[in-house]
C-alpha cells in the first residue's frame, strides 16, 4: 500500500536496536514504557522523511500558510494516531506481534498530551489533523506546558487533582528547535525618541525578557505523505543564571528572569468556559503570541520582500479571544520594527487576523484590567489605545449622538480591555461554531458589531476527525463500514457514510451493527471493571454523558433524573424497567466549588444505587475517573445513548455529540449548539429531543428568569428528588452536604437567580424523553435502525468539511502535494 518506506523486517530491527541504544536492554528485558519509547522512535524515523519532504514542498510551492493560534491543543496520544494516518497500523501491530509485543499495550503506555481543557482544545487538534490530511500548509502555535490538564482522582467521592507530568519519560515525537528561539519582552516603560529625520521611535526600557524556544510535533496527514507542524513554545531564561551577574549587582534581575521563564510555561489553566483575570495567564498569552508572530514574519521575509503582501501568504486564526493580543503585536512589529505608518500597518493586520468565537457565556469573556495590562505590555497597550481611539471615532461618525453604542462597543471601557471587541474590530472574519450559535451572536451578544460590520460575520459549524474517532477508536465498526460501502474512502470523505442508509432495513446488517456495538460495550465494561472496580452488564442501556463539568451542561439534571428513576424502581418493583447504566465522566475546574459538589453527588448516588441489592442491578451509575481523549475513544464506541442536555443557547456547538453520532449512539438532547444540525441530518425521529428552545430560554432570561418553586410545589415527584438533596439520603446522613445544590435550584438568595439553568423547568420533558429512549430500546430492530442511521448521517460533521469551509471563506489556502 501507501508506505513503501515501511518494511516489516527493517522496522523490527529498528525497534530492537532502539531498545538497545536507548536502554541497554533486549526486547524481552524492556519495560512496557521502554517498548513504547523504542517503538515511537522507530515510527518517528519514518515520519521524519515525510516531514522533510513537506518542508521542501512548502519551499518550492510557496503556499499561503494558516497559523492556528491557540492556548490549547488537546492532542491525546500520538503513536496510534500516527500509525493510523500513515496507514501502517495493522502492519505495525503484526510486526510487533511477531516480536511478542502487543501494540495496544504499548499504546497504553503513552501519556495523553492534554494541553487543553475540553472542546476548544480538542477542536484545534482535529483541525490540525484535517489540515494535514487535506494538504494545506498550516502551523499550530501554542505553549509547551510542563503540566497539562490535571489528572483527576476520585477519593471518597470527591475530585482530587494531581499534576500531569506528561513529559516525565520524555516525548519521543517532539523535536527541540533552539535555532528558532525568539526573545519576548515584558514590562518596563516606553521611551520616545526622535531621530535626525524627525521620525518617532518607541524604545522599551527596564523590561524583563525570556527566551522562547520552539518544540515541533509532527502532524501526520492521512495517507498523503504530508506532515505539518504543531509548534509549541518553551520558555528559558535569556541568559543562564550566572554568578558574575551577582557581582554586577544584577542578582535579583537574573533570578527574576529565571523565575519568569519557569513560571510562564509551568501549567495550563484548567478553566473551561471561564475567565480568570490572572496576570500569569496574560503573560502566557503574550509569550506564545509574540514568539509565533515573530517566527511567522521571519519565515515570510526569508522568501518575500514586500511586507505589504503579507496577507497573500499568511493568515492568523485566533482560537477564541485568548490569542487576541496577536493583533497588537503584529501592529507593533509592523510599526516599530518594519517602520510602516499606521494606515499601512492596519491595512495588513486587518487582512491577516481572523477570530473564532466559542462561547456566549458572560463569565467566559476576557476583560483585562487596564492597569495590569498596561503594566505588563506597555507598548502593546499604547497601540490598543490608538486602535480604540480610531474605532470610537468611527462609531461616533456612524452613529452621531449614540453614546450608548460607544459604551457597549469600545475596546477600552470601565477600566478594562475587552478582548472580544479588539478581535472583532481588527479581524477580517468573525465566526461562530454552529448555525444556532452564530445566529445568537448576530442577534444578541454581538448585535451592535454585526449591525456595523455584517460582512465579517460567518458560521463554521464544528467537526471532528473520523480518523481518530472511528478508524482508531472503533476498528470493528470502521472495518464494517468499509465492507458495507465497498471502500475505505470515507476516511477522507465522510459524506460517503450516507451510503450506509441502504442497510437500514437489512436485518443481517443490523444484526452485525448491533453485535459490534455489543463488543464495544464489553470492551468498555472491561475498562470500567479495571479502573473503577464496578461490574456493569453490557446488555443494559449504556447512557453516557462525558464532557467538562459545568452547570450549563446540566450533569445535575441527569443525576437528579437517576435519583428519580431510583425512587420509581423502589416504589414500583413490579413495573418492568429496562436495565440502565448511567456513565459520567467530567473534570471540574479546580476552583469551581459547585461543579465539584455535583461530582460528589454523582458518586454518592452511585454508592447508594450500586449497592442496593433490592433493585436487582436494574440501575447502575458509574463515574469514570480522569476522563480524557484516550478513554473517550472507548466511551464513544461503547455508548448507546449520547447525553447532550445543555440549557438551550448555552452550548456554542459541542463536538462530543458528533463523536457519539459517528459511533452509532442517538442523541438525547436539547435544541442547542450543533444538536440542531445533527437533528437536521439524522431526522428528529432518530433522536430524542426535549426541553425549552433557545428563544424560550433567552426570553425567560430577559424577564428575570422563572420561578422554580411553582414546579417544586406542584410536582411531588420532583419535590421528592429535590428534597433528597437535603434529607440525608445521599449525604450518608449528612443533610448539609448538598444544601448548596438544593439552594441553587430553589433559593433566589443563594444565586442571582434560582435555577439559572432551567433544570426543574426541563425536568419533566427530560424524564419523558428518557421514557421514549427506553421504549425505543426495547424494540431491538427499531433501535438498531436508529443507531445505524446516526452513523450513516454523520457525514457533515467531519472536521474535513469544516476546514474546507474555512479555506474557501476565510483562509484561501492553496493545496499542496508532497512528492516522495
Ligand atoms: C479564559 C481566560 C482565562 C483562563 C481560561 C479561559 C478559558 C479557557 C478555556 C475560556 C474558555 C475555554 C474553553 C472554551 C471551550 O472549550 N468552548 C467550547 O468550544 C467548543 C469548540 O468550539 C464548542 O464545541 C463548545 O460548545 C464550547 O463550550
Amino acid at each position: 500500500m501507501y508506505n513503501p518506506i515501511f518494511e516489516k523486517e527493517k522496522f523490527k530491527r529498528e525497534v530492537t536496536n532502539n531498545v538497545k541504544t536507548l536502554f541497554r536492554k533486549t526486547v524481552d528485558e524492556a519495560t512496557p514504557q521502554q517498548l513504547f519509547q523504542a517503538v515511537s522512535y522507530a515510527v518517528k524515523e519514518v515520519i521524519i522523511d515525510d516531514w522533510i519532504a513537506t518542508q521542501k514542498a512548502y519551499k518550492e510551492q510557496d503556499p499561503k500558510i494558516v497559523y492556528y493560534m491557540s492556548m490549547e491543543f488537546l492532542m491525546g496520544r500520538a503513536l496510534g494516531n500516527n500509525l493510523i494516518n500513515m496507514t501502517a497500523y495493522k502492519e505495525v501491530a503484526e510486526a510487533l506481534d511477531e516480536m511478542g509485543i502487543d501494540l495496544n499495550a504499548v499504546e497504553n503506555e503513552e501519556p495523553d498530551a492534554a494541553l487543553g481543557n475540553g472542546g476548544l482544545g480538542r477542536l484545534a487538534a482535529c483541525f490540525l489533523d484535517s489540515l494535514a490530511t487535506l494538504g494545506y500548509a498550516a502551523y499550530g502555535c501554542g505553549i509547551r506546558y510542563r503540566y497539562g490538564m490535571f489528572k483527576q482522582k476520585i477519593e471518597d467521592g470527591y475530585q482530587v487533582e494531581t499534576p500531569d507530568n506528561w513529559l516525565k519519560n520524555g516525548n519521543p515525537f517532539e523535536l527541540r528547535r533552539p535555532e528558532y528561539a525568539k526573545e519576548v519582552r515584558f514590562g518596563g516603560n516606553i521611551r520616545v525618541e526622535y531621530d535626525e529625520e524627525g521620525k518617532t521611535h518607541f524604545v522599551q526600557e527596564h523590561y524583563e525578557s525570556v527566551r522562547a524556544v520552539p518544540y515541533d510535533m509532527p502532524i501526520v496527514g492521512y495517507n498523503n505523505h504530508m506532515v505539518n507542524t504543531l509548534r509549541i513554545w518553551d520558555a528559558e531564561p535569556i541568559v543562564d543564571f550566572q554568578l558574575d551577574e551577582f557581582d554586577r549587582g544584577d542578582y535579583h534581575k537574573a533570578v527574576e528572569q529565571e523565575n519568569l521563564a519557569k513560571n510562564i510555561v509551568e501549567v495550563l489553566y484548567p478553566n473551561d468556559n471561564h475567565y480568570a483575570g490572572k496576570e500569569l495567564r496574560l503573560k502566557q498569552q503574550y509569550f506564545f503570541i509574540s514568539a509565533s508572530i515573530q517566527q511567522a514574519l521571519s519565515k515570510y521575509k526569508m522568501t518575500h520582500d514586500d511586507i505589504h503582501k503579507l496577507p497573500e501568504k499568511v493568515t492568523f486564526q485566533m482560537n477564541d479571544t485568548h490569542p487576541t493580543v496577536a493583533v497588537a503585536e503584529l501592529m507593533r512589529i509592523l510599526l516599530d520594527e518594519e517602520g510602516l505608518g499606521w494606515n499601512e500597518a492596519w491595512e495588513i493586520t486587518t487582512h491577516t487576523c481572523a477570530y473564532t468565537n466559542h462561547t456566549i457565556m458572560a463569565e467566559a469573556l476576557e476583560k483585562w484590567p487596564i492597569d495590569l495590562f498596561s503594566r505588563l505590555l506597555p507598548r502593546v497597550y499604547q497601540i490598543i489605545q490608538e486602535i480604540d481611539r480610531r474605532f470610537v471615532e468611527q462609531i461616533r461618525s456612524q452613529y452621531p449622538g449614540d453614546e450608548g453604542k460607544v459604551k457597549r462597543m469600545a475596546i477600552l471601557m470601565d477600566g478594562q480591555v475587552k478582548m472580544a471587541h479588539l478581535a472583532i474590530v481588527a479581524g477580517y472574519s468573525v465566526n461562530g461554531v454552529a448555525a444556532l450559535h452564530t445566529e445568537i451572536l448576530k442577534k444578541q451578544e454581538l448585535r451592535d458589531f454585526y449591525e456595523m460590520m455584517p460582512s465579517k460575520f460567518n458560521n463554521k459549524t464544528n467537526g471532528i476527525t473520523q480518523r481518530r474517532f472511528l478508524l482508531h477508536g472503533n476498528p470493528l465498526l470502521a472495518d464494517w463500514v468499509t465492507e458495507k460501502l465497498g471502500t475505505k474512502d470515507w476516511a477522507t470523505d465522510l459524506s460517503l457514510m450516507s451510503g450506509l442508509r441502504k442497510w437500514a432495513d437489512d436485518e443481517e446488517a443490523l444484526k452485525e451493527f448491533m453485535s459490534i456495538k455489543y463488543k464495544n460495550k464489553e470492551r468498555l465494561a472491561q475498562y470500567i471493571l479495571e479502573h473503577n472496580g464496578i461490574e456493569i452488564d453490557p446488555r443494559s442501556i449504556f447512557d453516557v454523558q462525558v464532557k467538562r463539568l459545568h452547570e450549563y451542561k446540566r450533569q445535575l439534571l441527569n443525576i437528579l433524573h437517576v435519583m428519580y428513576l431510583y425512587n420509581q424502581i423502589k416504589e414500583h418493583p413490579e413495573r418492568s424497567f429496562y436495565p440502565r447504566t448511567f456513565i459520567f465522566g467530567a473534570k471540574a475546574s479546580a476552583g469551581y466549588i459547585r461543579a465539584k459538589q455535583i461530582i460528589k453527588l454523582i458518586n454518592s448516588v452511585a454508592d447508594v444505587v450500586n449497592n442496593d441489592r433490592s433493585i436487582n442491578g436494574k440501575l447502575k451509575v458509574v463515574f469514570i475517573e480522569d476522563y480524557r481523549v484516550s478513554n473517550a475513544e472507548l466511551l464513544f464506541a461503547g455508548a448507546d445513548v449520547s447525553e447532550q442536555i445543555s440549557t438551550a443557547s448555552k452550548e456554542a456547538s459541542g463536538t462530543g455529540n458528533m463523536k457519539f453520532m459517528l459511533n452509532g449512539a442517538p442523541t438525547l438532547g436539547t435544541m442547542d449548539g450543533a444538536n440542531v444540525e445533527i437533528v437536521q441530518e439524522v431526522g428528529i425521529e432518530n433522536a430524542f429531543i426535549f426541553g425549552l428552545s433557545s428563544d424560550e430560554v433567552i426570553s425567560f432570561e430577559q424577564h428575570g428568569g422563572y420561578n422554580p418553586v411553582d414546579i417544586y410545589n406542584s410536582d411531588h415527584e420532583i419535590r421528592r428528588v429535590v428534597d433528597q438533596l437535603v434529607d440525608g439520603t445521599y449525604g450518608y446522613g449528612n443533610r448539609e452536604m448538598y444544601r448548596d445544590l438544593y439552594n441553587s435550584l430553589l433559593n433566589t438568595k443563594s444565586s442571582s437567580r434560582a435555577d439559572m439553568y432551567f433544570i426543574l423547568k426541563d425536568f419533566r420533558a427530560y424524564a419523558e424523553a428518557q421514557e421514549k429512549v427506553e421504549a425505543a430500546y426495547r424494540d431491538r430492530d427499531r433501535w438498531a435502525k436508529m443507531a445505524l442511521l446516526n452513523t450513516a448521517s454523520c457525514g457533515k460533521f467531519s472536521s474535513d468539511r469544516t476546514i474546507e469551509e474555512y479555506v474557501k471563506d476565510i483562509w484561501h489556502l492553496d493545496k499542496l502535494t508532497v512528492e516522495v
Side-chain angles (χ1 to χ4, degrees):
M1 251 201 55
Y2 132 80
N3 213 327
I5 326 164
F6 180 78
E7 259 184 69
K8 202 201 258 177
E9 291 310 317
K10 181 163 171 268
F11 183 82
K12 286 160 72 175
R13 280 197 304 276
E14 194 84 44
V15 172
T16 307
N17 197 50
N18 286 348
V19 174
K20 181 170 139 194
T21 56
L22 288 169
F23 307 110
R24 210 195 61 190
K25 280 192 177 165
T26 65
V27 165
D28 295 337
E29 295 163 345
T31 66
Q33 174 60 215
Q34 290 171 333
L35 289 175
F36 159 69
Q37 298 280 338
V39 170
S40 296
Y41 278 106
V43 172
K44 187 188 195 178
E45 177 92 20
V46 182
I47 292 174
I48 288 276
D49 290 321
D50 285 352
W51 210 354
I52 293 169
T54 303
Q55 279 307 310
K56 189 157 160 264
Y58 273 35
K59 274 215 184 79
E60 288 170 1
Q61 298 170 50
D62 189 28
K64 185 172 178 184
I65 301 175
V66 61
Y67 292 85
Y68 198 80
M69 316 290 255
S70 180
M71 288 287 281
E72 307 193 10
F73 289 91
L74 228 188
M75 304 300 289
R77 290 175 177 155
L79 175 59
N81 197 248
N82 287 340
L83 291 175
I84 286 286
N85 282 6
M86 295 158 78
T87 62
Y89 191 91
K90 280 178 184 164
E91 288 92 323
V92 165
E94 205 177 281
L96 293 176
D97 189 57
E98 289 170 20
M99 302 170 75
I101 303 170
D102 173 13
L103 174 56
N104 211 28
V106 170
E107 283 185 63
N108 284 332
E109 287 296 315
E110 181 176 1
D112 280 43
L115 308 183
N117 276 286
L120 166 148
R122 182 56 229 177
L123 185 74
C126 285
F127 280 2
L128 294 185
D129 183 85
S130 287
L131 281 160
T133 295
L134 295 169
Y136 294 116
Y139 281 86
C141 303
I143 296 173
R144 184 173 178 271
Y145 300 107
R146 287 295 163 77
Y147 295 92
M149 188 60 211
F150 63 75
K151 299 203 115 355
Q152 180 193 55
K153 291 229 153 64
I154 300 297
E155 286 175 13
D156 189 26
Y158 291 100
Q159 166 175 300
V160 175
E161 303 92 26
T162 68
D164 166 43
N165 190 0
W166 70 296
L167 293 166
K168 97 180 146 233
N169 296 310
N171 177 0
F173 288 104
E174 72 182 5
L175 269 186
R176 183 169 188 265
R177 312 301 297 279
E179 65 273 33
Y180 298 122
K182 303 282 176 206
E183 185 186 341
V184 178
R185 298 174 174 184
F186 297 95
N189 53 280
I190 306 300
R191 186 163 47 82
V192 184
E193 267 179 9
Y194 303 93
D195 62 19
E196 299 94 65
E197 295 154 36
K199 257 193 120 181
T200 323
H201 296 269
F202 298 88
V203 186
Q204 192 170 359
E205 314 178 304
H206 310 302
Y207 54 84
E208 283 183 278
S209 61
V210 296
R211 196 163 90 106
V213 181
Y215 284 69
D216 288 354
M217 309 247 277
I219 306 295
V220 179
Y222 182 80
N223 197 17
N224 65 355
H225 294 279
M226 180 117 173
V227 179
N228 277 337
T229 302
L230 168 59
R231 175 158 283 183
I232 50 181
W233 298 87
D234 186 23
E236 293 179 6
I238 273 286
V239 279
D240 275 326
F241 179 68
Q242 286 163 351
L243 267 183
D244 58 358
E245 296 263 357
F246 179 58
D247 300 333
R248 282 190 259 126
D250 272 349
Y251 184 80
H252 277 289
K253 183 141 197 157
V255 176
E256 272 166 21
Q257 300 212 18
E258 175 104 5
N259 284 338
L260 179 64
K262 188 180 172 312
N263 288 338
I264 280 185
V265 296
E266 189 69 1
V267 63
L268 165 78
Y269 276 89
N271 299 356
D272 181 271
N273 274 298
H274 187 82
Y275 160 73
K278 293 282 192 303
E279 177 166 2
L280 183 59
R281 167 86 178 183
L282 186 58
K283 281 184 185 165
Q284 292 183 333
Q285 294 182 350
Y286 184 66
F287 165 75
F288 96 98
I289 287 301
S290 178
S292 302
I293 301 248
Q294 289 182 53
Q295 151 73 41
L297 291 189
S298 346
K299 186 174 168 71
Y300 173 81
K301 284 170 66 176
M302 269 164 45
T303 45
H304 304 87
D305 41 26
D306 187 357
I307 194 77
H308 297 90
K309 291 190 173 163
L310 185 76
E312 290 176 18
K313 291 293 174 189
V314 169
T315 189
F316 297 115
Q317 187 66 37
M318 302 185 290
N319 200 20
D320 214 295
T321 54
H322 319 154
T324 298
V325 69
V327 165
E329 177 66 0
L330 179 56
M331 284 297 286
R332 184 189 68 78
I333 295 174
L334 294 176
L335 294 169
D336 297 358
E337 289 174 20
E338 298 295 324
L340 301 191
W342 184 273
N343 289 335
E344 24 174 20
W346 186 244
E347 180 73 13
I348 295 168
T349 301
T350 53
H351 289 83
T352 313
C353 299
Y355 159 58
T356 304
N357 176 291
H358 295 266
T359 188
I360 62 158
M361 302 276 294
E363 66 262 37
L365 293 180
E366 283 191 292
K367 300 173 190 169
W368 292 100
I370 283 179
D371 54 346
L372 184 160
F373 197 102
S374 58
R375 196 167 18 86
L376 189 68
L377 307 172
R379 180 60 186 141
V380 159
Y381 178 69
Q382 287 181 340
I383 290 167
I384 293 175
Q385 277 183 310
E386 181 61 13
I387 295 173
D388 179 60
R389 192 188 67 74
R390 289 170 183 244
F391 178 56
V392 168
E393 200 173 85
Q394 195 192 331
I395 302 172
R396 291 203 169 113
S397 86
Q398 215 164 316
Y399 303 96
D402 192 346
E403 283 303 299
K405 285 260 184 216
V406 173
K407 214 168 154 39
R408 292 198 301 275
M409 297 177 79
I411 298 164
L412 301 177
M413 184 53 64
D414 301 331
Q416 295 174 320
V417 188
K418 302 191 173 175
M419 300 308 270
H421 297 191
L422 177 59
I424 297 167
V425 171
Y428 68 92
S429 162
V430 177
N431 77 280
V433 290
L436 175 70
H437 169 61
T438 303
E439 285 312 305
I440 293 175
L441 288 180
K442 293 198 290 194
K443 290 204 197 93
Q444 318 269 339
E445 312 304 311
L446 302 179
R447 188 169 155 183
D448 293 312
F449 290 95
Y450 176 60
E451 192 185 300
M452 195 168 171
M453 31 195 139
S455 64
K456 282 187 188 183
F457 284 74
N458 65 98
N459 174 245
K460 295 287 166 282
T461 298
N462 284 166
I464 58 165
T465 171
Q466 66 268 33
R467 269 83 60 187
R468 180 178 292 267
F469 292 106
L470 192 58
L471 214 40
H472 184 262
N474 194 344
L476 296 175
L477 186 55
D479 283 345
W480 182 86
V481 169
T482 301
E483 183 213 309
K484 284 292 176 274
L485 293 179
T487 170
K488 206 179 164 184
D489 289 353
W490 58 268
T492 50
D493 179 1
L494 201 64
S495 71
L496 294 176
M497 297 297 261
S498 63
L500 294 173
R501 289 212 181 98
K502 75 165 193 232
W503 301 97
D505 290 304
D506 182 305
E507 234 171 86
E508 200 51 38
L510 290 175
K511 239 165 100 191
E512 291 163 8
F513 189 86
M514 290 314 283
S515 105
I516 289 168
K517 179 59 80 181
Y518 189 78
K519 289 192 182 119
N520 285 319
K521 289 169 76 175
E522 288 182 314
R523 181 176 69 157
L524 179 54
Q526 185 60 32
Y527 177 91
I528 288 171
L529 183 60
E530 279 166 24
H531 293 82
N532 294 69
I534 298 176
E535 211 167 323
I536 59 174
D537 184 348
R539 290 168 304 182
S540 65
I541 303 172
F542 282 13
D543 181 307
V544 184
Q545 186 175 21
V546 286
K547 50 181 78 249
R548 284 299 291 262
L549 204 314
H550 206 295
E551 285 167 278
Y552 84 78
K553 294 175 190 281
R554 298 201 295 191
Q555 283 94 350
L556 182 56
L557 172 60
N558 187 342
I559 198 66
L560 288 173
H561 175 256
V562 173
M563 289 158 60
Y564 161 85
L565 286 181
Y566 181 56
N567 292 341
Q568 302 278 305
I569 294 170
K570 298 279 278 184
E571 223 155 84
H572 306 285
E574 75 290 352
R575 275 193 206 161
S576 87
F577 179 87
Y578 204 99
R580 284 265 198 143
T581 304
F582 289 92
I583 300 173
F584 294 82
K587 289 181 184 175
S589 290
Y592 192 172
I593 306 294
R594 192 167 287 164
K596 290 181 152 181
Q597 291 168 356
I598 295 170
I599 290 177
K600 173 65 177 169
L601 176 63
I602 294 168
N603 284 305
S604 294
V605 173
D607 245 12
V608 170
V609 168
N610 297 346
N611 294 310
D612 185 341
R613 307 279 294 270
S614 79
I615 61 167
N616 291 323
K618 283 179 186 166
L619 204 52
K620 284 269 165 82
V621 179
V622 178
F623 190 94
I624 303 269
E625 196 174 65
D626 202 34
Y627 173 59
R628 60 192 187 279
V629 176
S630 54
N631 60 21
E633 294 178 32
L634 307 176
L635 284 154
F636 298 130
D640 288 313
V641 179
S642 162
E643 295 257 8
Q644 308 300 336
I645 59 177
S646 54
T647 308
S649 81
K650 304 291 179 199
E651 191 70 275
S653 161
T655 44
N657 47 4
M658 303 167 187
K659 295 163 196 170
F660 282 105
M661 183 191 199
L662 171 69
N663 283 277
T667 301
L668 164 56
T670 49
M671 277 298 205
D672 199 16
N675 297 354
V676 176
E677 290 158 84
I678 285 177
V679 169
Q680 240 161 45
E681 295 297 306
V682 76
I684 194 144
E685 69 283 7
N686 296 308
F688 302 90
I689 299 303
F690 72 95
L692 294 176
S693 69
S694 58
D695 285 338
E696 289 169 326
V697 167
I698 290 167
S699 161
F700 273 119
E701 286 175 340
Q702 285 166 348
H703 297 88
Y706 83 106
N707 188 5
V709 177
D710 293 342
I711 295 175
Y712 174 88
N713 285 333
S714 63
D715 186 325
H716 72 277
E717 287 172 328
I718 291 181
R719 182 166 67 245
R720 172 141 186 243
V721 168
V722 174
D723 285 345
Q724 283 173 334
L725 291 172
V726 291
D727 71 2
T729 308
Y730 297 103
Y732 313 94
N734 176 349
R735 291 159 180 259
E736 297 313 307
M737 190 169 274
Y738 302 113
R739 175 79 58 188
D740 177 67
L741 291 178
Y742 175 92
N743 286 341
S744 78
L745 292 171
L746 294 177
N747 189 342
T748 38
K749 269 175 268 164
S750 72
S751 52
S752 47
R753 281 185 0 235
D755 194 12
M756 291 192 43
Y757 297 98
F758 301 90
I759 287 174
L760 299 191
K761 186 90 188 150
D762 272 347
F763 189 94
R764 269 295 149 200
Y766 178 60
E768 279 162 24
Q770 282 284 21
E771 278 170 29
K772 290 188 183 139
V773 168
E774 179 176 331
Y777 200 86
R778 282 176 187 280
D779 182 346
R780 300 302 291 152
D781 295 340
R782 176 166 160 221
W783 187 270
K785 181 172 176 179
M786 206 187 252
L788 184 145
L789 283 175
N790 268 273
T791 300
S793 308
C794 72
K796 174 175 178 184
F797 302 106
S798 172
S799 46
D800 299 344
R801 187 268 314 151
T802 313
I803 288 298
E804 290 291 21
E805 289 180 9
Y806 274 91
V807 168
K808 183 167 147 291
D809 301 340
I810 306 177
W811 299 336
H812 308 293
L813 306 178
D814 318 293
K815 239 175 210 183
L816 272 186
T817 44
V818 178
E819 311 281 351
V820 281

